[in-house]
Structures are given as C-alpha cells and as structure tokens.
Amino acid sequence: MARPSRPTPSNLSVGSKTQIRSAHDVSLLSADARHRDDVLCAARSALSNCLSETHLDRTVPGLTAKARGKVRDIYDGGDHVVLVTTDRQSAFDRVLASIPFKGQVLNETSLWWFNKTRHITPNAVVSTPDKNVTIAKKCAVFPVEFVVRGFVSGSTDTSLWTVYSKGVRNYCGNVLPEGLVKNQKLPANILTPTTKATDHDVPVSPNEIIKLGLMTHDEYDEVSSKALSLFAYGQQVALENGLLLVDTKYEFGKGADGTIMLIDEVHTPDSSRYWIANSYEKRFNSGLEPENVDKEFLRLWFKDHCNPYEDKVLPEAPEELVCELAWRYIFLFETITNSNFELPRAEEPVHDRISRNVSQALSCI
C-alpha cells in the first residue's frame, strides 16, 4: 500500500530514531547542559540504591494486605490506602528496569497535577507524608482505564498507531479517517478506554463498558467528560511550558458517599507521552520521531532488541538509557511545575525513611 504524503500539522499552535540525540543537536532537553550532567552523575551514583521493593507491612504497624502493582506498592491502612511509588519501570505489561529517583518524580508530579485539577474533579489524596508516598481515601475503583489521545502515536499493542497501521478504522467507538500517518495530530482528542484481562490491557468501546457492567451509563458519561477536560487542561499547561501532551491515561473510583474521584496518577511521564513542542513540526515533516520526554525511547530500545511481550527473559537496559530516563523524568517535572527537583539525601536508607514517615502520618489520621 502506498504511503500517504505527510500533511502539515497546521492546527498546532507552536511553531537512527530510537537513539538519544547527539550533543550537537539543539534541544530543550539539553539546554542546561550543566544541570543535565549533574542529574546524570547523581543517577549513576544511585543505580544501586533504587527503591525496587517495599515491605511496609512488616515495618509499619496497622498496614496489611500489600498489593504489588507494576510500579506502585499498595497497602491497606483501614479507612485509607497507602500508595508507595517505587523506581520500577514498566512497559509492555511487565517491569523492564529500575530508574533512579523515578518514584519520587512520579509521586511529586502527580501531586502537583492533583492540586491543579481540583476545579475539574475531586481526587482521593488525603496526605503525602513522604516524597514517594501518597495516602488516599478508599474507593471502589472502576475497572476501566480512560486513555485519551491527541496524536496518532505509540509502539505498544494497544497504541493508536499500532492498530491504525494494521488497518483498524473503528477503535473503541472512534471512527478514524484514512490517510493518517504516525505522530500526526488528530482532528480532535479521542477516548480509547481499556479494561484489564489476565495480564494485559484490552481496548473496549463505551457500549461494551456499559454492556459488561463495568460502569453505568451515567458513570461513564461523567468520567469520560472529566477525562477529556483533564486532558485538554493538561495540553494547555504543557504547551505553555514548551511541551506537547500526546496521550495519557486516567483512573477513577467512587467514594463511600458516591463521589467520583480521580485516583492513581495524573499526567506523569509514566502514564503519558510528552514531546518537545518547538521541534515537533520540523521533525514530523522530515519523517523523524519527535523528541520525547517520557519512556517511549526505552520502549523502542526493548522492541529493537527483543520481543518484550513474549520473551521470558529480557536484556538488561543499558546504564546510559536508564540514567537518561532519570534525567528526562526530572526535566519534565521541573519544566511543568517551574520548580527544582530535590534529589533525595543518601544518609538514611529510603525504605527506613518511608517507614518512619508513614508511621507518623497514620498515627495522626
């Protein structure tokens, strides 16, 4: 089939592909070379001290029933849940590596967005006793992830570009036009929800969500509206700071009083794709991958070196890529929040610090 010509992405309001950009390329990612070098050096020093596992059920009185997610460890604290964001890096429905400082970056990025989006939806956050920890209200979690997309992109089996390139033109209830190319901006943002199978995400349409009893019609309408509003606001904030929010996922739950709340994480580089805005058009028109500020380049490295869905044992991620990802996550946090990321001190073991802070917080709730 003939490749369609690349359209000009005129509806944007801003002016080999898996490798890290070379030093002579002008990039917002490397504009502050000294700061980048400092973070890379700190990341290399912290490689052996990543928070890959937690055992707060053994160290914090009153915590029980640990649930281990791909990134977060979740503990039952009675009326609340304690969510510890680790440094585990996931993609392709499995853990790929551990990234220095990642858990702290994700937790603090989410907290910033939770505070900034209260005008759109309430959230479940109660307190943040530690850089890696959020204590949240218990709620009944909807078994649906609300994925919102603004571009035709991605490399996983459920990503929009993957399914579109295979000829799918009706995806999760969205009719897609012919002639789209990879990384093109969509005419309008779309929802592509997924639900969990045994070990992977399954795309579902709104009608299927309601028919399967995953949500009522009213619940779906409320949550889908909130998801699209959150994404539009996220795109606005990102663009104001020189970034494009490409796609993301949201999770919601219902509290004991029936209030629907935003949970889990918001607009992090784990749950979202971000691109550098000012280089997007030139790279798109040249057929190059956008400059990404998320884990996509690590995804692509694994796809180039193994079958990440089927291989039982994966190759070890190169140290250079692991440290680069640590930098990109910190860069994103600092760019979006306009604040400095505080590197953790090494005097106290991370697990000891978390245990102490969570114990103190729970005793005051």
Side-chain angles (χ1 to χ4, degrees), residues 154-171:
S155 57
T156 63
D157 283 355
T158 58
S159 71
L160 189 55
W161 173 246
T162 299
V163 297
Y164 188 87
S165 64
K166 293 178 179 179
V168 175
R169 295 297 180 267
N170 191 317
Y171 191 49

Side-chain angles (χ1 to χ4, degrees), residues 50-51 85-89 97-104 132:
C50 289
L51 183 66
T85 309
T86 72
D87 295 330
R88 297 191 295 265
Q89 182 64 56
S98 291
I99 309 298
F101 321 127
K102 180 199 163 185
Q104 178 182 337
N132 288 69

Side-chain angles (χ1 to χ4, degrees), residues 222-272:
E222 179 176 345
V223 171
S224 60
S225 176
K226 287 181 175 181
L228 288 167
S229 295
L230 286 166
F231 190 67
Y233 178 71
Q235 286 183 309
Q236 173 191 328
V237 173
L239 192 55
E240 288 170 355
N241 291 283
L243 300 173
L244 298 174
L245 177 57
V246 177
D247 52 41
T248 195
K249 73 172 180 69
Y250 305 105
E251 295 187 49
F252 293 84
K254 181 177 280 191
D257 63 353
T259 300
I260 291 178
M261 297 177 289
L262 181 63
I263 63 170
D264 195 46
E265 62 183 325
V266 195
H267 298 161
T268 70
D270 247 25
S271 64
S272 317

Side-chain angles (χ1 to χ4, degrees), residues 135-154:
I135 297 178
K137 301 173 186 175
K138 272 189 175 177
C139 61
V141 179
F142 294 116
V144 177
E145 291 186 349
F146 280 76
V147 182
V148 189
R149 305 181 187 275
F151 293 76
V152 187
S153 189

Side-chain angles (χ1 to χ4, degrees), residues 89 92 94-98 298-319 321-322:
Q89 182 64 56
F92 309 107
R94 63 196 299 178
V95 174
L96 302 178
S98 291
L298 190 63
R299 285 194 193 102
L300 294 173
W301 185 89
F302 274 95
K303 288 199 75 173
D304 284 348
H305 291 82
C306 63
N307 185 330
Y309 285 108
E310 297 182 6
D311 291 355
K312 291 184 178 180
V313 179
L314 300 184
E316 185 174 346
E319 180 179 310
L321 296 190
V322 168

